[in-house]
Amino acid sequence: MDAGKTINVAGIEATIIRKKVKNVRVTIVPPDGTVRVTAPKLYPERMIRAFLAEKANWIRTHVEKVRRSHADEPRQFVSGETVRLFGQAFPLEVRTQQKKNRVTLEADRIVLFLRTDAPHEKREAILNEWLRERLKTEIEHYLPLWSERTGLVPNEWTVRDMTSRWGSCNTRTKKITLNLQLSRYPLICLEYVILHELCHIRVHGHGAEFKALLDRYMPDWKARKKILNG
């Protein structure tokens, strides 16, 4: 099975999984309503996109049903759940009785290795630490690129799990904080948030001058922001 790639059709983000099957099938994966499309290995992507566009209303309806039905259920971080990494949805596999706690990305899944069985809080902490390191690696790549393009350089940056914003910039200390949850979204979204916070080094608010900076350096920033905000 191929992990495939994530596409966006009519505002619906879906991950293509290519297998030895005859027909295209859409699956809505609980608990977060992830959309997964299973398709034959050589099936053209344009036809997958057309298939999704045709069923867009049905998909949106069922995504909402799945999300509502699982809204009050805490994630257990067990095999079969979905983990999102930079826009792609991977099934989670949990293996216990291992030499040490760790996480790996294999060809088509994310594997959580545990020395002993552990409650979901511990599993989440191990997985989040792995996601944090993956996100830091990408930040270390993209932040210098955007600093060079804009001439805006932070004194410090950090990653934190935040609930109400994607990033922040302390304009006095020039410290940038980026949300751990950005690890779930396509890298173009991470680039947008990096640029957004860099621009705050020069402009404090979100007025015309700020938006002009975004337009100058990233003409498609509104489309990237829309992906983040659903």
Side-chain angles (χ1 to χ4, degrees):
M1 180 172 67
D2 296 332
K5 71 175 186 177
T6 298
I7 60 175
N8 192 296
V9 177
I12 296 169
E13 193 174 275
T15 298
I16 302 173
I17 305 295
R18 295 192 179 272
K19 300 173 64 176
K20 291 182 180 179
V21 295
K22 292 183 178 181
N23 301 308
V24 179
R25 185 178 74 242
V26 174
T27 304
I28 313 299
V29 183
D32 57 356
T34 297
V35 180
R36 188 179 299 162
V37 185
T38 304
K41 287 183 176 292
L42 300 180
Y43 201 79
E45 184 179 314
R46 61 180 175 79
M47 295 182 66
I48 295 174
R49 289 179 175 273
F51 179 82
L52 288 173
E54 181 181 348
K55 293 188 173 294
N57 290 335
W58 180 91
I59 292 171
R60 291 191 190 97
T61 297
H62 283 76
V63 165
E64 287 306 311
K65 284 183 179 180
V66 168
R67 287 176 177 172
R68 283 197 301 269
S69 66
H70 293 271
D72 298 325
E73 296 181 8
R75 296 193 64 186
Q76 298 301 309
F77 299 94
V78 296
S79 294
E81 289 187 353
T82 299
V83 177
R84 302 188 67 82
L85 177 65
F86 299 130
Q88 291 195 34
F90 293 91
L92 176 66
E93 179 182 336
V94 179
R95 301 177 189 173
T96 58
Q97 308 302 318
Q98 304 297 310
K99 291 183 178 180
K100 65 177 182 178
N101 296 331
R102 63 189 180 96
V103 181
T104 63
L105 174 61
E106 298 190 354
D108 61 345
R109 67 194 60 233
I110 289 174
V111 183
L112 172 59
F113 296 86
L114 299 171
R115 288 183 296 180
T116 60
D117 200 3
H120 71 271
E121 296 90 350
K122 178 66 173 177
R123 297 180 181 206
E124 181 180 20
I126 295 169
L127 187 59
N128 278 348
E129 186 56 33
W130 180 76
L131 291 171
R132 184 186 304 275
E133 293 306 313
R134 299 287 301 229
L135 182 61
K136 282 183 175 180
T137 297
E138 298 300 337
I139 295 170
E140 287 168 354
H141 172 71
Y142 286 107
L143 183 55
L145 291 179
W146 285 102
S147 288
E148 183 178 354
R149 291 173 187 175
T150 61
L152 302 170
V153 182
N155 290 331
E156 185 182 357
W157 64 268
T158 188
V159 172
R160 187 160 60 89
D161 197 2
M162 298 186 284
T163 58
S164 60
R165 57 178 67 183
W166 294 112
S168 65
C169 176
N170 185 316
T171 55
R172 180 178 59 84
T173 63
K174 296 184 180 180
K175 177 181 178 179
I176 287 176
T177 301
L178 298 168
N179 194 334
L180 173 64
Q181 298 306 316
L182 287 166
S183 62
R184 300 174 55 227
Y185 291 84
L187 288 170
I188 60 170
C189 297
L190 173 61
E191 287 190 88
Y192 158 68
V193 178
I194 286 174
L195 176 62
H196 183 112
E197 302 310 332
L198 285 175
C199 288
H200 277 311
I201 294 175
R202 182 176 297 171
V203 182
H204 291 191
H206 294 93
E209 184 181 0
F210 180 81
K211 291 176 181 177
L213 275 178
L214 291 176
D215 287 337
R216 175 182 175 185
Y217 293 112
M218 187 180 287
D220 66 340
W221 67 269
K222 292 180 181 177
R224 302 187 190 209
K225 181 180 179 181
K226 187 175 181 180
I227 294 173
L228 272 176
N229 295 334

